[in-house]
Amino acid sequence: MAGTCQDEVLCSWLAGWFDNAIWGQVAASGATIILILFLGFVLRKVAHRVITKVVNRAAMGGSLTSRFRKGVTVGGVDALLNERRRQRAETMGSVLKSVASIVILGTAVLTVLDRLTIPIAPLLTSVGILGVAVGFGAQELVKDFIAGMFMLLEDQYGVGDVIDVGPAVGTVEAVTLRITRLRDVDGRVWYVRNGTITRVGNESQGWSRAYMDVPVPYDADLVSVRAVLENVAEEIWADTEFRESKIVEAPQVFGVEQLSDSSLVFRISAKTVPAAQAEVSRELRLRVKTALDDAGIAMAALV
């Protein structure tokens, strides 16, 4: 019996301690299993701490302030981008922690089973067959998760963005690895599976553009019309309420944009912070209409 322990230092030492080779082998196996499980949990804890540290650094490190003009920070943009970055980092951190736990603890369990002389080949084969079966049955779910991971990694959109995903257009209220929740202008909530999104139109990333087409009759004084529109552009740019929080560049008058059989169409355009184009467009319409009325210039029908 003592010969069974000659190949293992720990077993031989414990056999001498217990003065029995069988008990020494049992104790050695138990100690090895405990050591394997202990190392597995320690490695899992270390991996989670490293992932948490990386996630926190990714979420908090570095300012994401968007400076659209030299020396001017657009209010609210920095907070929004940092929040998006935090959510993206935390979601990916959760995925990485789950993967680390499965790999480390799964390896530890298989090692323990092998130590107990339990054949793991049939188990691995069964798990492989089960994985294939689950993969076929839950392929849509897997597709959603993979699409959600790439969406988060590429930062295609985030909470607060106004996006067009085909079946629905609205403001993003929540993003997970499986679904994206939108609320449209009517207040309707849409739940869109990430795997079904084939294209995304993001109206809130970087900057947006507000514009207004101004139709005037053919007999209008084009020089006067252009001068009126340029005055409107200068006034709204000089308005601190819009310049500091809504508009990021001086509005431009593009001149005659279109010709029709009954009117000439001027276009005035303004670069805005993300998702502020609707508010700026409404303000432009109001100011342009008031300025044209004051100048005695009539507007034509927009064809």
Side-chain angles (χ1 to χ4, degrees), residues 261-272:
D261 58 353
S262 60
S263 65
L264 302 171
V265 179
F266 283 79
R267 174 168 291 182
I268 180 172
S269 172
K271 201 172 188 179
T272 72

Side-chain angles (χ1 to χ4, degrees), residues 229-301:
L229 296 181
E230 288 177 346
N231 287 335
V232 171
E234 292 174 1
E235 289 176 0
I236 197 171
W237 179 241
D239 190 332
T240 56
E241 178 183 354
F242 285 87
R243 182 169 180 171
E244 293 180 355
S245 60
K246 302 292 190 304
I247 303 176
V248 299
E249 285 184 2
Q252 297 178 332
V253 178
F254 291 150
V256 178
E257 185 74 14
Q258 299 177 27
L259 293 173
S260 70
D261 58 353
S262 60
S263 65
L264 302 171
V265 179
F266 283 79
R267 174 168 291 182
I268 180 172
S269 172
K271 201 172 188 179
T272 72
V273 299
Q277 68 270 28
E279 183 178 353
V280 175
S281 294
R282 288 191 291 268
E283 184 67 19
L284 282 174
R285 296 187 195 102
L286 177 61
R287 294 187 182 223
V288 167
K289 178 62 169 66
T290 302
L292 290 177
D293 288 345
D294 292 341
I297 301 173
M299 295 180 64

